[in-house]
């Protein structure tokens, strides 16, 4: 079941109330084509094979489908494929990923987040429109069990020079959504985006893998004042994270190509009345053993 903002709205009234703990699955960067491109040293044009990524995405879907109880949803935090907008292999990569994801259990909604490879490093109205046609809205909100979730297009924070009006629209929308959240007295607010605010410390230097300092500081302070609990992101192809005034920044490694010492994997996130408890699992571990008893106990004892 492919859901964006419009798909979740029909559940909104029922889902605004806290109903007890639940969990969801976060994945990032299946990025069909990067493993070959990285191996051959040509990240611009070397993405003409993605058989390994297909197998990894299939393993992820199979692992999620076996979980009991079922997760409330499965969110993919960007870089769905490696091919940038307009490149040779992009359409085939997109179609092959869709073919894998359509085997996800129909009772587990899919939530898509746009990454730089999905809308381009300097997105335009055209590249964002193309993304939306394939994957749904590039930013939206939804409720699950009294928790308010925000999906953001972080590329508009990174470089909106080709579409400043779209960044302004997202900024206005975000302020409106945070006002709604305050009025509703939701249990938690959680954000999904592709590019992390920061990788380990809020004042770290700007790099390809985080947001520019002045942009980051403005967003962090806005999120802190709004009471946002956590931001979940990908992009780094390694696990990382830190905190800013109680706002947790969670950076998850990739389903696809690894750029560090982590393994292909998924993050299990348990949401309780007081807190979030999460752990990154390798695909092999989640496939063979499922969720560990400690996390299942957190789910069960609160009900």
């Amino acid at each position: 079941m492919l859901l964006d903002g419009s798909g979740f709205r029909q559940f909104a009234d029922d889902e605004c109330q806290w109903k007890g703990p639940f969990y969801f699955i976060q994945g990032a960067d299946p990025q069909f084509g990067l493993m070959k491109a990285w191996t051959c040293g040509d990240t611009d044009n070397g993405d003409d094979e993605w058989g390994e990524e297909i197998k990894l995405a299939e393993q992820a879907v199979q692992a999620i489908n076996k979980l009991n109880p079922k997760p409330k949803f499965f969110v993919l935090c960007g870089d769905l494929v490696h091919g940038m907008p307009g490149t040779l292999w992009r359409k085939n990569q997109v179609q092959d990923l869709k073919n894998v994801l359509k085997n996800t259990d129909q009772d587990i909604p899919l939530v898509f987040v746009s990454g730089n490879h999905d809308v381009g490093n300097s997105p335009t109205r055209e590249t964002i429109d193309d993304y939306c046609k394939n994957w749904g809205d590039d930013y939206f909100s939804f409720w699950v069990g009294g928790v308010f979730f925000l999906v953001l297009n972080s590329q508009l924070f990174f470089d909106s020079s080709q579409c400043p009006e779209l960044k302004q629209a997202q900024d206005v929308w975000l302020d409106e959504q945070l006002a709604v959240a305050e009025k509703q007295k939701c249990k938690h607010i959680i954000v999904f985006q592709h590019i992390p605010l920061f990788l380990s410390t809020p004042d770290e230097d700007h790099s390809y893998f985080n947001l520019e300092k002045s942009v980051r500081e403005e967003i962090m302070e806005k999120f802190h004042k709004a009471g946002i609990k956590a931001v979940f992101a990908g992009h780094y192809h390694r696990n990382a994270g830190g905190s800013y005034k109680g706002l947790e920044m969670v950076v998850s490694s990739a389903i696809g190509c690894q750029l560090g010492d982590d393994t292909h994997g998924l993050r299990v996130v348990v949401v309780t009345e007081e807190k979030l408890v999460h752990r990154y699992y390798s695909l092999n571990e989640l496939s063979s053993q499922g969720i560990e008893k400690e996390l299942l106990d957190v789910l069960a004892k609160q009900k």
Side-chain angles (χ1 to χ4, degrees):
M1 180 163 49
L2 309 183
L3 290 181
D4 61 5
S6 58
F8 272 105
R9 282 179 204 123
Q10 61 183 301
F11 305 114
D13 292 342
D14 186 43
E15 290 293 344
C16 289
Q17 305 303 314
W18 177 254
K19 300 173 183 175
F22 62 89
Y23 80 100
F24 63 86
I25 302 293
Q26 182 216 7
D29 302 273
Q31 206 158 339
F32 281 23
L34 176 59
M35 291 175 80
K36 163 76 185 315
W38 190 262
T39 301
C40 72
D42 183 1
T43 55
D44 291 329
N45 303 297
D47 60 332
D48 58 341
E49 294 177 15
W50 50 91
E52 283 300 307
E53 286 97 335
I54 289 176
K55 290 177 186 174
L56 291 163
E58 287 174 340
Q59 187 180 5
V61 166
Q62 290 162 7
I64 291 168
N65 286 347
K66 287 196 295 187
L67 295 174
N68 185 26
K70 296 182 193 298
K72 286 290 187 181
F73 59 88
F74 171 29
V75 58
L76 272 172
C77 282
D79 279 3
L80 307 174
V81 300
H82 183 67
M84 288 282 190
T87 56
L88 182 59
W89 302 106
R90 180 181 172 92
K91 280 188 178 178
N92 300 77
Q93 291 167 358
V94 166
Q95 190 55 56
D96 282 352
L97 179 58
K98 286 182 176 181
N99 288 341
V100 173
L101 293 175
K102 71 183 181 184
N103 294 315
T104 308
D105 188 309
Q106 288 298 298
D107 292 329
I108 304 173
L110 288 162
V111 179
F112 297 112
V113 182
S114 62
N116 57 303
H117 282 263
D118 305 311
V119 297
N121 285 323
S122 300
T124 65
R125 182 175 289 276
E126 290 71 30
T127 64
I128 291 175
D129 283 348
D130 180 69
Y131 169 84
C132 292
K133 284 173 190 170
N134 276 300
W135 304 107
D137 298 337
D138 60 322
Y139 58 90
F140 58 96
S141 63
F142 61 95
W143 290 86
V144 172
V147 177
F148 193 49
F149 293 91
L150 294 162
V151 171
L152 300 179
N153 181 347
S154 59
Q155 211 58 35
L156 295 175
F157 299 139
F158 194 84
D159 180 1
S160 62
S161 59
Q162 303 300 308
C163 55
E165 75 284 0
L166 297 185
K167 179 190 184 298
Q168 184 181 12
Q170 178 175 250
D171 288 346
V172 169
W173 172 87
L174 178 57
D175 288 341
E176 291 170 349
Q177 294 299 302
L178 294 177
V180 167
E182 183 179 22
K183 187 178 177 182
Q184 289 278 0
K185 304 294 183 206
C186 51
K187 194 61 68 176
H188 306 295
I189 311 171
I190 297 171
V191 170
F192 299 121
Q193 60 189 56
H194 179 62
I195 302 177
L197 299 173
F198 56 89
L199 298 175
S200 56
T201 58
D203 60 350
E204 69 196 22
D205 289 341
H206 172 52
S207 72
Y208 173 78
F209 289 112
N210 60 20
L211 292 180
E212 194 272 322
K213 268 190 169 183
S214 62
V215 174
R216 179 197 319 167
E217 287 163 2
E218 182 182 341
I219 296 170
M220 288 190 307
E221 196 55 30
K222 177 182 286 192
F223 284 5
H224 165 65
K225 287 178 178 174
I228 290 174
K229 195 83 169 180
V231 177
F232 289 86
H235 190 50
Y236 192 43
H237 294 254
R238 286 154 280 203
N239 287 309
S243 64
Y244 171 80
K245 295 183 180 178
L247 167 69
E248 186 178 11
M249 181 68 244
V250 183
V251 185
S252 294
S253 196
I255 293 171
C257 187
Q258 300 298 308
L259 301 184
D261 297 326
D262 295 297
T263 55
H264 311 283
L266 296 164
R267 189 172 299 275
V268 175
V269 185
V270 176
V271 183
T272 76
E273 196 162 6
E274 297 84 23
K275 61 184 178 179
L276 308 181
V277 183
H278 53 85
R279 191 193 146 195
Y280 185 84
Y281 287 83
S282 73
L283 294 182
N284 288 340
E285 186 182 9
L286 197 61
S287 297
S288 61
Q289 300 173 30
I291 300 172
E292 65 190 291
K293 184 177 182 300
E294 185 180 347
L295 280 185
L296 291 174
D297 285 348
V298 172
L299 266 178
K301 72 181 179 184
Q302 304 250 342
K303 291 189 176 178

